[in-house]
Amino acid sequence: MAKIILHHYDSSPFSEKVRVCLGIKRLEWLAVEQPVIMPKPALLPLTGGYRRIPVMQIGADVWLDSVAIVAELERRHPAPSLFPAGTGGLATALQYWTDREVFQAAVGVIFGGLGDKVDPAFIKDREALSGRPFDPQAMAGAVPYLSDQFRAHAALLSAQLADGRAFLEGAAPGLADATAYYNLWFVRAAFPPAAALFADLPHLGDWLDRVAALGHGTRSAATPDEALAIAAAHAPDPALLAASGEHPLLGQSVIASATDYGRDPVAGQLVGASAQLFSLARQDAQLGTIHVHLPRIGYALSPAG
């Protein structure tokens, strides 16, 4: 059976969400380090142009976006569950809070705080990724507001822990913890002075320590070339297709792209569609057939051409 391969980089906040889930499930996985900024020549052949991190690969099947990745980890390895209290729908929906509202506040606090210390190459790359200016100096002017917002978000987590529970859903950790944790981890790691925004909130420090102690499972290193060779040596698993339901574009050539940022289009044939997932079959000259799986929420699908 092909192994789990996570294409990531160590400072990636969304990758940290996935790594914590791998730790909760105590899984073995291969880590492929991808560049923080473009170019990413060993990633794009797998994704068809999608450049965001993380990306998960199993053989010739590829999952884009941390939302789709953690859903597949839960489907494939249901115990221990990422939903220990049976709140799969709510815990999944929680990601659309942390991945947007909380993450954007974290970005402003971090890069507004760093100011002119941010690498110009990183700024240029993130402007291409987002399609709008990425200006740490402008962010600096918004830091008081963004700091207030970030602390308010963190205070919600403190309130959830107020009854003495170990994790957000109770005694056992789950996706809710991984997705709430990573933005606080990001702030502490990327701009430590901003951790003062939540350091005094009750219960939060001990919870952060407990989540960190879950670890990342058993991680081994693999090279980008090794990952590409694995994809070339495998065929996509048809059992992994999104449960085919009625969709007007099913079987047709389509283009999929994110609706928030990093809108690089991925072209392929729509071969699966469920309530939460799309599956596209695409052809690569070196790798052969690749199936790309991506979330339905937050991604737009349109006919090719």
Side-chain angles (χ1 to χ4, degrees):
M1 181 180 293
K3 293 183 178 180
I4 296 169
I5 301 171
L6 187 68
H7 297 262
H8 75 148
Y9 51 86
D10 283 330
S11 61
S12 162
F14 293 101
S15 297
E16 180 66 7
K17 181 212 298 188
V18 175
R19 293 188 294 251
V20 170
C21 290
L22 291 163
I24 291 170
K25 291 185 172 295
R26 300 185 289 276
L27 295 175
E28 296 182 3
W29 55 287
L30 297 176
V32 173
E33 293 290 326
Q34 292 287 350
V36 175
I37 63 175
M38 292 289 276
K40 301 183 181 183
L43 181 69
L44 302 192
L46 290 168
T47 66
Y50 179 94
R51 53 163 291 183
R52 285 159 56 169
I53 291 293
V55 167
M56 184 171 76
Q57 173 193 351
I58 300 176
D61 285 275
V62 173
W63 287 263
L64 312 183
D65 197 292
S66 61
V67 172
I69 292 171
V70 298
E72 177 60 19
L73 291 176
E74 178 70 7
R75 189 202 66 80
R76 184 177 290 262
H77 302 282
S81 177
L82 294 177
F83 312 119
T87 57
L90 288 176
T92 298
L94 186 70
Q95 295 175 99
Y96 298 105
W97 169 56
T98 60
D99 293 2
R100 288 166 172 75
E101 291 289 327
V102 187
F103 175 69
Q104 290 302 325
V107 167
V109 166
I110 290 167
F111 292 99
L114 289 171
D116 59 8
K117 297 181 178 65
V118 183
D119 185 347
F122 180 87
I123 293 173
K124 182 178 180 181
D125 180 84
R126 289 313 189 255
E127 288 182 337
L129 178 66
S130 66
R132 57 181 181 267
F134 188 94
D135 187 349
Q137 298 300 325
M139 292 179 197
V143 162
Y145 163 74
L146 294 170
S147 296
D148 182 71
Q149 294 297 298
F150 193 82
R151 180 176 172 85
H153 289 307
L156 293 174
L157 304 178
S158 175
Q160 180 69 9
L161 297 162
D163 62 0
R165 64 184 62 198
F167 297 100
L168 293 177
E169 293 191 69
L175 176 60
D177 298 282
T179 196
Y181 167 83
Y182 78 85
N183 280 304
L184 279 68
W185 169 88
F186 187 32
V187 167
R188 289 204 305 190
F191 189 57
L197 292 172
F198 52 84
D200 64 329
L201 291 174
H203 318 293
L204 214 52
D206 290 342
W207 170 75
L208 286 165
D209 290 342
R210 283 190 290 271
V211 177
L214 296 169
H216 293 157
T218 302
R219 168 178 170 171
S220 303
T223 68
D225 286 343
E226 287 171 338
L228 292 176
I230 289 171
H234 286 76
D237 183 350
L240 300 179
L241 291 177
S244 294
E246 293 299 322
H247 192 282
L249 296 178
L250 199 62
Q252 297 184 32
S253 295
V254 298
I255 295 173
S257 59
T259 57
D260 50 0
Y261 64 93
R263 300 179 183 182
D264 307 85
V266 178
Q269 181 187 19
L270 182 64
V271 290
S274 69
Q276 298 298 329
L277 200 67
F278 290 130
S279 295
L280 276 61
R282 46 173 305 274
Q283 302 297 319
D284 182 85
Q286 282 73 47
L287 305 182
T289 303
I290 301 290
H291 282 178
V292 174
H293 313 278
L294 62 156
R296 195 161 182 161
I297 296 175
Y299 287 79
L301 203 65
S302 59

